[in-house]
Amino acid sequence: MEHEKVIKEEQQGTALVTDLTPGNSKKLFIESYGCQMNMNDSEIVASILAKEGYNTTQKLEDADLVLVNTCSIRDKAEQTIRKRLVYYNRIKEINPSMKVGVLGCMAERLKSKFLEEEKIVDLVVGPDAYRDLPNLVQEVTEGRDAVNVILSKDETYGDVSPVRLNSNGVSAFVSITRGCDNMCTFCVVPFTRGRERSRDPKSILEEIKDMADRNYKEITLLGQNVDSYLWYGGGLKKDFKKASEIAQQTAVDFAQLLDMCAVSFPKIRFRFSTSNPQDMSMSVIHTMAKHKNICKYIHLPIQSGSTTILKRMNRQHTREEYLSLVENIRKIIPDCALSQDMITGFCGETEEDHKQTLSLMEKVKYDFGFMFAYSERPGTLAAKKYEDDVPLEVKKRRLTEIINLQQKHSLYRTQQHVGKVEEVLIEGTSKKSDTHWKGRNTQNTVIVFPKEHYKLGDFVMVKVESCTSATLIGKAVGYSENN
Ligand code: SAH
Ligand code: F3S
């Protein structure tokens, strides 16, 4: 199910629209593929271009500028985007003044190849170059192609206040780190998004304050690896002589950032994603346990249940270390939900390795998961060092096996909620019924229930009456004390 959801999102992309800035006359069509970070980056881009006279539009045919924020994580994601670009070019035949730009990971990976070989785009902009968009767009409108794919060691867009695109006005994402230093051998992200850097906590808290003032109720802190968040005072560094002094006096790690967020905004619900098992500290787990407004849910990708494969993937932990982390989480936060990312058919994966994955899943019984067949990415360490030797049918068969097992565990987990009364934040109308709200409990499980007199953004107590493997079905029994 989850796998299907991910694939579906990759195929469709999300056309993003926002409130109009009065006086802006140019039209921007911006579409996002891939992870939440990309959605958030598109909000930054829309904010930068709003100052240049652009309003977003949902009508591709009307656009002066079409931007697609791209994903390179698997070959399939790139193929989908290529098809979209061909489609944009057909529209361009009708509207020749329209300009087409590629943003994000695929722009970074393919760089000017897009202009030289493919001739289907006018503009190529990598994830750290969005501030240069006004200049680049100017170049393009003057008839020149424009490329900026320079990666940065310090760009965090900390001072850019993102306009919220397609927002429900209730939940929003706030980026806290950019890039990734982990170099998992299968992964293209360190190459497309550059070195890891953390954003100034002051600007993070200011952005959340702004969201709270506008009545947002839930914030998800985003990063490729949130647990390695570390801010050490930026410019203040030179005032201290030794690294240990910096650490003692000014450093803010992820547990401290979470604590600051939870204490400063007691009415806001906090989530975060993604956690990396190697960096998740006990202090993060204790901070989660301490605050009611930090949701009891951790997305904790493992990729494989076999230590041999984990090593080949350059993940910095064994199967046993991961299981002991899970045990600690369950000891300190007994009702904590966990989800996984898994890859089947990585280089050299044997049937025995695959069985190890199934047995790890049996031990953890994840609430949900995102599962993928390995897709070799050019330039990654795995592509250089290892042979992509598991046949596609085997990758797919193993994938089906883990998806089926996950479905069983998801149902087991949702069943544990039946009969309980849980706090739910109302996020929108249920997809299947106009008369029902949908929201999520602290564990991130979706709950639907009759609307009655409740409103979008209310915190409501819901009695869970039944479930499927993905959704809880219930009835509101009153407002939560948090309301
Ligand atoms: N730390 C990141 C991970 C980004 S990639 C985060 O914030 O989620 C998301 C998931 O895609 C990974 O956890 C992995 O399971 C999957 N993935 C990455 N590279 C892949 C590849 N080459 N083939 C198949 N799946 C891949
Ligand atoms: Fe990719 Fe591993 Fe970083 S999956 S995003 S290199 S933690």
Side-chain angles (χ1 to χ4, degrees):
M1 285 279 287
E2 291 299 335
H3 173 69
E4 278 168 19
K5 196 176 122 223
V6 172
I7 300 294
K8 217 167 125 211
E9 277 165 11
E10 277 180 0
Q11 281 170 352
Q12 287 176 346
T14 311
L16 301 162
V17 281
T18 182
D19 295 339
L20 305 181
T21 307
N24 278 3
S25 58
K26 290 180 274 187
K27 294 199 179 77
L28 165 70
F29 179 90
I30 182 162
E31 193 172 38
S32 255
Y33 287 81
C35 62
Q36 283 304 340
M37 201 78 164
N38 261 7
M39 307 288 164
N40 197 228
D41 278 4
S42 293
E43 296 182 328
I44 289 168
V45 167
S47 169
I48 291 170
L49 289 174
K51 294 200 178 69
E52 301 297 310
Y54 284 91
N55 271 336
T56 49
T57 175
Q58 248 175 328
K59 284 203 200 125
L60 181 56
E61 301 77 14
D62 292 353
D64 300 298
L65 178 62
V66 173
L67 295 178
V68 55
N69 201 346
T70 59
C71 174
S72 286
I73 203 80
R74 284 168 289 276
D75 184 53
K76 193 162 180 200
E78 290 201 351
Q79 294 309 333
T80 307
I81 291 158
R82 278 177 198 280
K83 282 191 204 128
R84 268 317 258 173
L85 288 172
V86 170
Y87 177 65
Y88 296 156
N89 274 268
R90 286 217 299 275
I91 307 284
K92 220 173 149 177
E93 283 165 19
I94 312 165
N95 175 8
S97 65
M98 185 177 112
K99 303 293 176 196
V100 175
V102 182
L103 312 177
C105 289
M106 212 173 152
E108 193 61 50
R109 198 176 82 71
L110 296 168
K111 303 191 168 60
S112 53
K113 273 191 205 145
F114 264 123
L115 302 173
E116 291 153 13
E117 291 166 18
E118 321 216 358
K119 301 207 184 326
I120 49 174
V121 299
D122 307 293
L123 184 74
V124 180
V125 192
D128 287 346
Y130 298 146
R131 276 182 211 273
D132 198 23
L133 267 165
N135 300 325
L136 296 166
V137 170
Q138 183 64 30
E139 294 269 306
V140 161
T141 44
E142 286 167 11
R144 290 183 294 275
D145 292 337
V147 185
N148 187 343
V149 286
I150 298 170
L151 286 173
S152 156
K153 286 205 177 93
D154 47 29
E155 178 64 271
T156 61
Y157 301 106
D159 60 324
V160 179
S161 168
V163 294
R164 299 295 159 183
L165 295 165
N166 274 22
S167 168
N168 58 5
V170 174
S171 35
F173 295 89
V174 170
S175 295
I176 64 163
T177 67
R178 292 184 73 82
C180 186
D181 282 350
N182 278 332
M183 300 303 268
C184 300
T185 54
F186 55 80
C187 186
V188 78
V189 171
F191 303 95
T192 58
R193 286 192 159 267
R195 299 303 301 269
E196 183 185 289
R197 60 226 102 115
S198 296
R199 179 177 169 191
D200 181 350
K202 193 162 158 271
S203 82
I204 296 172
L205 293 170
E206 277 165 5
E207 191 176 328
I208 299 171
K209 163 97 175 49
D210 179 51
M211 310 303 312
D213 290 347
R214 288 196 278 145
N215 243 342
Y216 277 80
K217 303 288 172 68
E218 184 186 84
I219 300 288
T220 303
L221 305 175
L222 279 186
Q224 301 296 342
N225 181 6
V226 286
D227 300 280
S228 63
Y229 176 88
L230 186 66
W231 174 261
Y232 45 77
L236 289 175
K237 205 172 167 185
K238 65 179 182 326
D239 300 334
F240 299 92
K241 289 187 188 66
K242 291 192 298 243
S244 59
E245 279 181 30
I246 297 169
Q248 275 167 21
Q249 305 205 28
T250 64
V252 176
D253 66 12
F254 183 55
Q256 288 164 308
L257 179 72
L258 260 185
D259 196 67
M260 279 155 72
C261 290
V263 170
S264 310
F265 305 99
K267 290 276 178 199
I268 297 254
R269 232 184 193 198
F270 286 95
R271 299 186 185 276
F272 53 87
S273 189
T274 295
S275 297
N276 193 307
Q278 78 199 40
D279 294 310
M280 179 149 220
S281 68
M282 290 307 287
S283 56
V284 168
I285 303 167
H286 285 294
T287 307
M288 287 178 75
K290 190 166 116 195
H291 296 287
K292 214 176 144 250
N293 61 334
I294 303 179
C295 288
K296 306 299 178 262
Y297 161 59
I298 307 172
H299 181 50
L300 199 62
I302 178 160
Q303 320 297 355
S304 166
S306 151
T307 298
T308 318
I309 296 294
L310 289 173
K311 206 161 178 217
R312 204 171 296 147
M313 287 176 161
N314 194 31
R315 305 284 290 185
Q316 304 293 318
H317 58 82
T318 61
R319 167 194 174 92
E320 289 71 29
E321 283 161 345
Y322 182 92
L323 287 171
S324 93
L325 175 63
V326 169
E327 204 178 302
N328 280 328
I329 294 169
R330 296 250 154 93
K331 228 184 276 162
I332 298 164
I333 317 169
D335 60 344
C336 192
L338 292 175
S339 61
Q340 43 84 349
D341 285 350
M342 290 287 186
I343 297 176
T344 59
F346 184 61
C347 313
E349 186 189 68
T350 62
E351 216 48 43
E352 180 48 37
D353 293 320
H354 172 58
K355 287 206 178 98
Q356 294 262 310
T357 297
L358 294 170
S359 93
L360 180 126
M361 288 174 72
E362 280 292 2
K363 279 182 195 284
V364 181
K365 294 195 173 53
Y366 293 98
D367 290 72
F368 37 91
F370 301 89
M371 293 153 279
F372 315 97
Y374 173 58
S375 161
E376 185 178 83
R377 308 310 294 130
T380 54
L381 294 173
K384 286 183 193 153
K385 259 172 90 176
Y386 307 115
E387 200 189 332
D388 181 11
D389 56 357
V390 178
L392 188 60
E393 320 82 75
V394 177
K395 284 179 183 171
K396 282 191 176 161
R397 193 251 305 149
R398 291 178 187 165
L399 181 61
T400 306
E401 284 176 22
I402 63 168
I403 290 175
N404 290 344
L405 184 61
Q406 182 54 55
Q407 187 116 16
K408 203 176 104 192
H409 292 157
S410 295
L411 182 62
Y412 165 78
R413 287 292 174 196
T414 52
Q415 281 168 344
Q416 310 306 304
H417 293 271
V418 176
K420 291 188 179 156
V421 176
E422 302 187 331
E423 185 184 75
V424 178
L425 170 61
I426 300 180
E427 292 171 48
T429 296
S430 154
K431 273 190 205 124
K432 289 196 184 141
S433 155
D434 282 350
T435 59
H436 285 66
W437 288 124
K438 75 158 188 238
R440 279 168 298 154
N441 62 11
T442 185
Q443 286 90 355
N444 206 36
T445 312
V446 174
I447 306 193
V448 296
F449 57 95
K451 283 188 172 174
E452 300 181 78
H453 55 286
Y454 300 103
K455 296 189 310 296
L456 186 71
D458 283 345
F459 281 102
V460 184
M461 300 309 293
V462 178
K463 170 119 197 241
V464 183
E465 290 169 338
S466 60
C467 68
T468 66
S469 65
T471 311
L472 305 176
I473 300 130
K475 189 175 178 346
V477 295
Y479 288 105
S480 139
E481 59 183 27
N482 192 24
N483 213 48

